[in-house]
Amino acid sequence: MPPDGSQGETAVTTQIRLGDITIHRVVEQEAATFFAAFEFFPTLTKELWEENRDWLQPRYIDQAGKVVLCVQSFLVQTPHHNILIDSCVGNHKSRPHRPMWNMLDSDTYHKNLAATGIGVADIDYVMCTHLHVDHVGWNTRLDNGRWVPTFPKAKYLFADRELEFWTAKHKEDAAAHPWVTDSVLPIVEAKRAEVVKSTHALNDDVHLFPTPGHTIDHFSVQIGRTGRDAVITGDMIHSPLQARYPDIGMRVDYDAKQAGVTRRNLFGRLCDTPTLLCFAHFPSPSTGRITRWGDGFKVIEA
Ligand SMILES: [Zn+2]
């Protein structure tokens, strides 16, 4: 893989159709292996690993024991709006603590966006499921030394308590939160932020619902009507391992226990229904449905 994490020239696109709604994937990094599984999932035991490695390896955890991750946006095209959900890492962003995302200079994201037929000027809304570094990056781009909104006419939706939390963290220690400096606050300053509750409904086809735990006010997005619907999960799950064992937390969870309850609730509700889930970080195709598996759940890729 080239150093920017891209896979050369190939545009990665997928179209998911739900009636008159189309969901496109816009991939920035594919099959990236940044984190060792035992570090990424601190409560994963050797016993559970041995019991499950047959189905996990090499697809979800590679032979070296690293979690296989995709970094992507989901672009929802409805008859009324183009909505980009999560905005990946972005270019030219100084991330001294994350070498794999430091000062990226790649055309992969824009190529993959262009392949959907929707341009930056066509995006009406950007929604950030939460305000972590890999979900806000393309909110802004560098223009003559200034961070300006990448999507010139978009409103950017942030959950109120999420924005409050990260703004306070940034106030305490700006250097430790560079993505807030360059990818969140410039949107607020440009008066492009629409601060909403994590229960906000955009219209009958698109509404947010709270999936807290990974961060304080994380939301997921429900798309379409019952029977022909999808859920954009954001980071309420990072690996099918956390469907099989909903209580396994991820290294930077705000409240790992609450994140486990969130997974049990959502997967219990969606179990054996036609609802398609679109997972931010699962390897391609990054989509699937939920069924029961013992005390937990299985993701049937679709
Ligand atoms: Zn993430």
Side-chain angles (χ1 to χ4, degrees):
M1 195 157 50
D4 69 351
S6 71
Q7 287 191 322
E9 298 304 306
T10 327
V12 183
T13 56
T14 312
Q15 285 190 9
I16 300 150
R17 289 191 191 279
L18 306 165
D20 54 6
I21 298 174
T22 305
I23 304 177
H24 307 264
R25 296 172 60 212
V26 182
V27 171
E28 183 179 53
Q29 294 181 323
E30 175 76 286
T33 50
F34 304 133
F35 303 99
F38 285 104
E39 183 193 316
F40 203 67
F41 302 115
T43 60
L44 174 61
T45 61
K46 290 255 185 300
E47 290 71 33
L48 270 194
W49 166 245
E50 287 305 332
E51 230 176 276
N52 291 277
R53 62 187 297 174
D54 281 357
W55 68 271
L56 285 169
Q57 259 182 332
R59 178 150 173 63
Y60 303 111
I61 295 178
D62 74 2
Q63 297 298 358
K66 300 216 168 172
V67 185
V68 180
L69 298 171
C70 187
V71 180
Q72 65 192 321
S73 305
F74 287 96
L75 173 47
V76 180
Q77 190 176 15
T78 79
H80 309 292
H81 301 115
N82 296 314
I83 303 155
L84 187 80
I85 302 175
D86 289 329
S87 66
C88 302
V89 176
N91 273 356
H92 311 119
K93 309 234 157 162
S94 172
R95 303 286 181 254
H97 304 296
R98 321 250 179 166
M100 68 288 194
W101 293 332
N102 189 35
M103 300 304 280
L104 292 189
D105 185 9
S106 163
D107 60 1
T108 303
Y109 188 79
H110 279 288
K111 270 190 182 161
N112 288 338
L113 178 61
T116 68
I118 298 166
V120 289
D122 302 321
I123 301 293
D124 301 293
Y125 291 97
V126 176
M127 297 181 174
C128 297
T129 60
H130 63 300
L131 300 183
H132 276 167
V133 58
D134 55 320
H135 295 260
V136 299
W138 281 108
N139 283 1
T140 58
R141 65 180 175 85
L142 200 55
D143 179 40
N144 279 322
R146 287 180 56 239
W147 296 108
V148 302
T150 303
F151 306 98
K153 68 170 200 199
K155 281 271 181 202
Y156 290 69
L157 265 63
F158 302 136
D160 54 1
R161 290 186 305 124
E162 184 81 8
L163 181 61
E164 213 171 277
F165 177 88
W166 291 106
T167 305
K169 285 266 174 205
H170 182 266
K171 211 168 227 171
E172 267 166 39
D173 185 355
H177 303 89
W179 69 94
V180 180
T181 309
D182 59 42
S183 305
V184 177
L185 296 181
I187 297 299
V188 176
E189 279 147 26
K191 303 206 183 325
R192 304 292 288 285
E194 201 168 304
V195 183
V196 299
K197 295 280 174 209
S198 51
T199 51
H200 179 77
L202 190 67
N203 55 42
D204 289 348
D205 282 323
V206 181
H207 74 261
L208 323 185
F209 62 98
T211 42
H214 181 57
T215 61
I216 192 166
D217 200 12
H218 186 287
F219 64 76
S220 301
V221 188
Q222 179 86 40
I223 308 289
R225 317 272 170 109
T226 310
R228 264 209 252 177
D229 61 337
V231 164
I232 314 290
T233 64
D235 279 7
M236 53 79 65
I237 181 169
H238 288 78
S239 162
L241 176 67
Q242 295 175 292
R244 175 75 185 90
Y245 304 103
D247 306 325
I248 292 185
M250 182 267 185
R251 54 190 272 280
V252 298
D253 281 346
Y254 170 74
D255 182 339
K257 199 169 167 192
Q258 185 185 40
V261 172
T262 288
R263 280 186 286 276
R264 281 200 187 277
N265 287 343
L266 183 66
F267 299 157
R269 173 161 79 77
L270 299 184
C271 190
D272 299 323
T273 72
T275 302
L276 188 75
L277 290 91
C278 303
F279 303 101
H281 290 305
F282 284 24
S284 294
S286 317
T287 49
R289 295 188 171 83
I290 297 286
T291 190
R292 193 78 57 186
W293 188 2
D295 179 40
F297 302 92
K298 181 182 247 163
V299 177
I300 312 280
E301 290 184 336

